[in-house]
Amino acid sequence: MGLVRAETARDGSSGPADNRHLTDLLSDLAAPAPGTRRAAARDLADHPEAAMALCERLEVETAPSVRAMIFTALIKLQTPAVARRLARFLRSDDAQLRNAAIEALQEMPAAIAPHLQELLTDDDSDIRIFAVTILGTLRLTCAPDWLVEVIRRESHINVCSAAVDALAEIGGPEAIEDLEALLDRFPGDSFMKFAIETTIRRIRGQ
């Protein structure tokens, strides 16, 4: 099905063709041919009102190339609402979809930031690990402080380990005292000891 290009009225306002164009694109997003769906996802990146439809398509889309284009479009359309919707995929059993959602969220720091505290305190330790992983790449000014808060309150060793790894990249001297305290909480874990000591050395520039 050919796409109808949007027409513009003489006064500069959008005419009815805009709505027809959007309707056609949304229809093509569910077309049988992956190429048609991929092209629709690409063009819907110019339609902020289509963001939730793109998120919904991810629930059922199986073609990797179409998924990739949808994520690309959503990164362009990023809003806190889009980020919250993508965060649902952190619970997916589909590892490829889950990892793609993590990568997309890492590209939208301002959009995901309002939701991170909720994710960092989720009941599911895997979600907390994913949240730490995302936070560690965002380069937000608050990120080191939030990671320190994680290691202060967290009891799950894998979440703490993820936070230590993130602090190795973005942590400052103010994190050292809490990292040293973390050593005392997991005294028998040689891997954690190694990770903490390595992170402290990196922070100190050694």
Side-chain angles (χ1 to χ4, degrees), residues 50-118:
M52 289 301 107
L54 288 165
C55 290
E56 289 171 4
R57 182 65 205 178
L58 285 174
E59 299 276 1
V60 296
E61 183 57 61
T62 57
S65 65
V66 181
R67 276 186 179 180
M69 187 59 69
I70 292 174
F71 278 115
T72 297
L74 289 170
I75 289 169
K76 181 178 179 180
L77 297 172
Q78 58 182 277
T79 64
V82 167
R84 175 177 283 278
R85 188 64 180 272
L86 290 183
R88 295 184 188 178
F89 295 115
L90 300 181
R91 303 181 191 278
S92 175
D93 292 330
D94 184 333
Q96 291 183 336
L97 178 60
R98 186 175 64 243
N99 291 337
I102 290 172
E103 291 175 4
L105 291 170
Q106 289 171 331
E107 295 295 326
M108 47 181 79
I112 189 57
H115 308 304
L116 275 173
Q117 288 286 15
E118 179 181 350

Side-chain angles (χ1 to χ4, degrees), residues 2-206:
L3 300 181
V4 180
R5 291 193 175 277
E7 297 176 354
T8 303
R10 290 183 179 179
D11 62 0
S13 62
S14 297
D18 277 325
N19 290 330
R20 289 198 299 273
H21 184 51
L22 177 58
T23 300
D24 286 346
L25 288 174
L26 291 173
S27 177
D28 283 353
L29 195 59
T36 302
R37 301 199 302 274
R38 184 170 59 250
R42 179 195 64 215
D43 291 345
L44 284 169
D46 294 325
H47 294 272
E49 64 272 38
M52 289 301 107
L54 288 165
C55 290
E56 289 171 4
R57 182 65 205 178
L58 285 174
E59 299 276 1
V60 296
E61 183 57 61
T62 57
S65 65
V66 181
R67 276 186 179 180
M69 187 59 69
I70 292 174
F71 278 115
T72 297
L74 289 170
I75 289 169
K76 181 178 179 180
L77 297 172
Q78 58 182 277
T79 64
V82 167
R84 175 177 283 278
R85 188 64 180 272
L86 290 183
R88 295 184 188 178
F89 295 115
L90 300 181
R91 303 181 191 278
S92 175
D93 292 330
D94 184 333
Q96 291 183 336
L97 178 60
R98 186 175 64 243
N99 291 337
I102 290 172
E103 291 175 4
L105 291 170
Q106 289 171 331
E107 295 295 326
M108 47 181 79
I112 189 57
H115 308 304
L116 275 173
Q117 288 286 15
E118 179 181 350
L119 294 172
L120 289 168
T121 56
D122 194 273
D123 290 341
D124 188 332
S125 61
D126 286 339
I127 299 301
R128 301 200 300 277
I129 290 171
F130 298 147
V132 166
T133 300
I134 293 167
L135 178 60
T137 66
L138 296 185
R139 303 295 176 178
L140 296 169
T141 56
C142 62
D145 290 340
W146 287 8
L147 290 169
V148 168
E149 288 178 13
V150 169
I151 63 174
R152 283 176 181 169
R153 68 170 181 254
E154 184 60 58
S155 59
H156 197 289
I157 189 170
N158 291 338
V159 182
C160 288
S161 178
V164 169
D165 288 344
L167 284 168
E169 301 299 325
I170 65 173
E174 65 280 357
I176 291 177
E177 182 178 350
D178 288 284
L179 287 166
E180 291 174 337
L182 192 60
L183 275 172
D184 296 332
R185 288 166 51 197
F186 300 103
D189 192 288
S190 57
F191 176 80
M192 180 64 84
K193 181 177 185 294
F194 173 79
I196 292 171
E197 290 176 347
T198 299
T199 296
I200 291 173
R201 285 197 299 271
R202 286 185 180 179
I203 290 173
R204 287 174 171 162
Q206 298 174 348

